[in-house]
Amino acid sequence: MDKQTFWKLIDTARTESEPDQVAARASELLARRPGSEIAAAQQVLWDLLAESYRSPLWAAAYVINGGCSDDGFDYFRGWLLTQGEEAFALALADPDSLADHPAVREAAAEGLELWDEEALSIAWTAYESATGRELPAESFTISYPALAPSWDFDFDDTAQTAARLPRLSALFDQAG
């Protein structure tokens, strides 16, 4: 499985399910494929998670969710994966653009957090469903890049955060 096939899977799941059920539907759809393709999907997923392991996106997640631990950042990126390729790419290119995303605007208005832990195990769940076995550990690896030193500041520093993510900061300041 390659990235484009993975994104098509996510798009189909988005079309066929409610927003909070995308990961579950993606797992169901993926489980219909051969085990080797399911295992390959896990590597694609982890490659996308590594690609999105960026300080500016972490700062955006921190603003959106009112804080963001290591695990919280993983779960936020899981949510971002379920939003589809276009939203994912736009958020990586400009995390402040998330201020335009309907779910982010709703989160600001309603005081919601955006995360999807289940999205991290789309392939794991599909493989187990299809084969009755756990996904082989050797079928994927993950290597996170170093975080940008220029973003090494306390995300609770609202002046720094507002200077770097002005639209998100304004959106969530208005909500609080």
Side-chain angles (χ1 to χ4, degrees), residues 47-175:
D47 289 347
L48 290 167
L49 289 173
E51 183 180 335
S52 64
Y53 188 77
R54 300 177 180 190
S55 300
L57 187 61
W58 200 331
Y62 196 93
V63 170
I64 292 166
N65 286 340
C68 192
S69 66
D70 293 352
D71 288 346
F73 187 43
D74 287 343
Y75 306 154
F76 176 81
R77 289 178 296 136
W79 168 81
L80 187 57
L81 280 171
T82 67
Q83 303 310 297
E85 182 179 16
E86 184 178 337
F88 185 85
L90 188 57
L92 294 189
D94 177 15
D96 204 32
S97 70
L98 284 165
D100 296 327
H101 193 288
V104 173
R105 297 188 74 72
E106 180 183 6
E110 303 292 328
L112 305 173
E113 290 186 14
L114 299 177
W115 58 275
D116 191 340
E117 182 178 2
E118 188 178 359
L120 304 179
S121 59
I122 288 171
W124 193 278
T125 302
Y127 192 87
E128 192 170 283
S129 175
T131 68
R133 299 184 317 269
E134 287 188 1
L135 186 70
E138 67 275 1
S139 63
F140 63 95
T141 61
I142 188 161
S143 177
Y144 284 138
L147 293 170
S150 63
W151 282 77
D152 188 17
F153 67 93
D154 183 354
F155 295 157
D156 281 323
D157 182 339
T158 55
Q160 280 274 355
T161 305
R164 294 164 188 252
L165 300 167
R167 294 170 53 219
L168 278 173
S169 295
L171 180 64
F172 283 86
D173 282 348
Q174 293 171 359

Side-chain angles (χ1 to χ4, degrees), residues 8-38:
K8 286 178 186 173
L9 175 80
I10 295 297
D11 285 345
T12 301
R14 287 178 54 74
T15 301
E16 296 179 1
S17 66
E18 295 297 317
D20 63 342
Q21 295 297 311
V22 174
R25 182 65 181 142
S27 288
E28 290 170 4
L29 294 168
L30 186 58
R32 297 176 183 168
R33 297 175 181 252
S36 61
E37 192 171 341
I38 298 169

